[in-house]
Amino acid sequence: MLVVLLLSNLIFTPTFFKIEMRDGHLYGSLIDIVRFGAPLILVALGMTLVIATGGIDLSVGSVVAIAGALACWRISEQTDQNSVTGVLVAVALALGLALLLGAWNGILVAVVGIQPIIATLILMVAGRGLAQLITDGQIITINSSPYKLIGAGYLFTVPFAILVALAVTALAVLLTRRTALGMLIESVGGNAEASRLAGIHSRRITMMAYIVAGLCAGIAGLMISSNVSSADGNNAGLWYELDAILAVVIGGTSLAGGRFSIAGTVVGALLIQTLTTTIYTTGIPPETTLLFKALVVTIVCLVQSPAFRAKVFQGRRRRPPTPTGPAAPAAEKVEVPA
C-alpha cells in the first residue's frame, strides 16, 4: 500500500520522485515525507513497546505539547536565544520532564495497577492543561538557530530530523532484536503473570516501556516546535496518539500485546505521512481529509487480516458431501469380542 500511494502521486506530480541538491541540502517530495514523518516515527516506536507489553498510551500527544512548550519557554527567557548552552539546557529540561511523565504512567500501570487506557487518559487531559500553563495560553515564538536545527536543520546535506529518527530506530532494533529485551517485552505482553512466575520482572519491563514512550514523545515535541520555531500548548501534538496507534497496528503489532515489529511500525508511520501528502497533492477537499484517511487505513487493515483474506480471496474450504443412496459404499461391520 505504501508503494501504491507513492506511485499514485506520479499521476498528479510527475517529478514526485525527483531528489535534487540545493545550497548543499537534499530536497524533494520523498525527503519531505520522511522529514515530516520523523516525529510520528518516534512516537510510534515508543507506542510499539507499550502495546507490545499489552498496554496503551493515550498521553503521548500531550507529552509532545509539554516538551515543546517547556523548551520554547526556557529559550524565550534567555537573553541570547542563539546560545548553544542555553538551548542544550532547555532540551535537557524538556526531555527530563518527558521521562518523568513516562515514569508517572508506568507507576500508575505497573505499580498501582490502574488499567493503561485510564492511567494514560489522566495525563492526556491534565498534560494538555500543563502545556497551556507553561505557555500561559499563548503561542510562544522564538528565534533560535541552534534549536531550529532539531526539526528544520540539515546535517551532512540530510535533514537533521531524519538522522535522529534513524538513530532512534537503529537503537530500538539493536536493543530489542540483538539482546534479550525484545523477548522479555513479548513475554510480558503475552502473559505478564506467567512471566513474573518465570522470574521476569514484569513491572520493570512495563515501566521501561512507558518511560521510553515518554522520551520518544519528548523528542518528537522538540522536532515539531523546532520546525515552526514556536510552541502551541493547545494544538501541538493534538490527536498524535491516534496516528501513532494506527501506525503500530498497520505495522502488524497486535493490540493484545506480545509480538511486535519495529520495521512494520516505521513503514506504518511513513504510510500515514505519505497518505497525508497524497491528500494535499491530489487536491482532495480539506473537509474530507479525515474521511479519506480513515477509508484508506480501513482498507489496509482489512487486507492485512488473515481471516478477511481467507474469506474474500480463498473462500471457505468445504468438505465434499458424503454420498448417500444405493451408490454409497456399505459400511464395514466390525466385530467386537465380548
Side-chain angles (χ1 to χ4, degrees):
M1 182 59 72
L2 177 60
V3 173
V4 169
L5 283 176
L6 290 172
L7 292 177
S8 65
N9 283 273
L10 289 175
I11 301 175
F12 304 92
T13 308
T15 60
F16 184 79
F17 288 96
K18 183 179 180 180
I19 298 178
E20 56 184 352
M21 186 78 70
R22 298 179 187 173
D23 300 326
H25 300 154
L26 290 176
Y27 285 91
S29 298
L30 296 179
I31 299 295
D32 290 338
I33 287 175
V34 182
R35 180 166 72 92
F36 292 125
L40 180 57
I41 291 175
L42 292 176
V43 176
L45 286 175
M47 186 71 73
T48 301
L49 299 183
V50 171
I51 291 179
T53 61
I56 199 76
D57 192 349
L58 299 180
S59 66
V60 288
S62 296
V63 176
V64 166
I66 292 172
L70 181 58
C72 288
W73 171 78
R74 183 69 180 83
I75 294 174
S76 66
E77 295 293 318
Q78 297 177 4
T79 304
D80 182 13
Q81 295 188 7
N82 290 317
S83 171
V84 176
T85 303
V87 171
L88 291 177
V89 171
V91 169
L93 288 174
L95 296 183
L97 182 55
L99 284 171
L100 289 177
L101 295 175
W104 166 260
N105 285 334
I107 291 173
L108 291 181
V109 174
V111 179
V112 181
I114 300 177
Q115 296 228 351
I117 192 172
I118 301 300
T120 57
L121 183 62
I122 296 173
L123 184 57
M124 175 185 177
V125 178
R128 187 66 60 176
L130 178 59
Q132 295 189 52
L133 283 175
I134 295 174
T135 61
D136 198 21
Q138 306 296 322
I139 298 178
I140 298 179
T141 304
I142 61 174
N143 185 15
S144 174
S145 298
Y147 186 71
K148 194 172 183 179
L149 170 67
I150 300 175
Y154 288 80
L155 184 64
F156 307 120
T157 73
V158 181
F160 187 73
I162 296 179
L163 297 178
V164 173
L166 285 174
V168 175
T169 302
L171 182 61
V173 172
L174 178 65
L175 293 177
T176 58
R177 297 309 179 196
R178 297 301 179 182
T179 69
L181 181 60
M183 182 184 64
L184 297 179
I185 293 174
E186 291 177 345
S187 65
V188 171
N191 192 322
E193 183 61 20
S195 299
R196 185 186 68 81
L197 295 175
I200 299 174
H201 297 285
S202 57
R203 289 184 177 180
R204 294 181 185 177
I205 298 296
T206 302
M207 282 197 62
M208 179 274 302
Y210 283 95
I211 291 174
V212 171
L215 177 61
C216 290
I219 300 175
L222 296 179
M223 281 186 182
I224 294 174
S225 60
S226 168
N227 192 36
V228 295
S229 296
S230 63
D232 185 356
N234 186 37
N235 295 314
L238 190 63
W239 309 126
Y240 230 63
E241 55 275 355
L242 300 184
D243 280 346
I245 294 172
L246 281 176
V248 174
V249 174
I250 290 174
T253 300
S254 172
L255 286 174
R259 298 295 296 270
F260 64 93
S261 172
I262 297 295
T265 295
V266 173
V267 173
L270 290 177
L271 188 146
I272 292 177
Q273 182 59 46
T274 303
L275 177 59
T276 303
T277 302
T278 302
I279 289 173
Y280 292 129
T281 302
T282 56
I284 296 177
E287 57 271 14
T288 62
T289 297
L290 294 178
L291 179 61
F292 181 78
K293 193 174 181 179
L295 178 62
V296 173
V297 171
T298 301
I299 294 174
V300 173
C301 291
L302 288 176
V303 171
Q304 277 191 323
S305 171
F308 179 80
R309 292 199 305 266
K311 291 180 179 180
V312 175
F313 300 106
Q314 298 178 3
R316 295 182 178 180
R317 295 181 179 179
R318 298 180 180 180
R319 294 182 178 179
T322 303
T324 58
E332 297 182 359
K333 294 182 180 180
V334 180
E335 294 183 1
V336 179

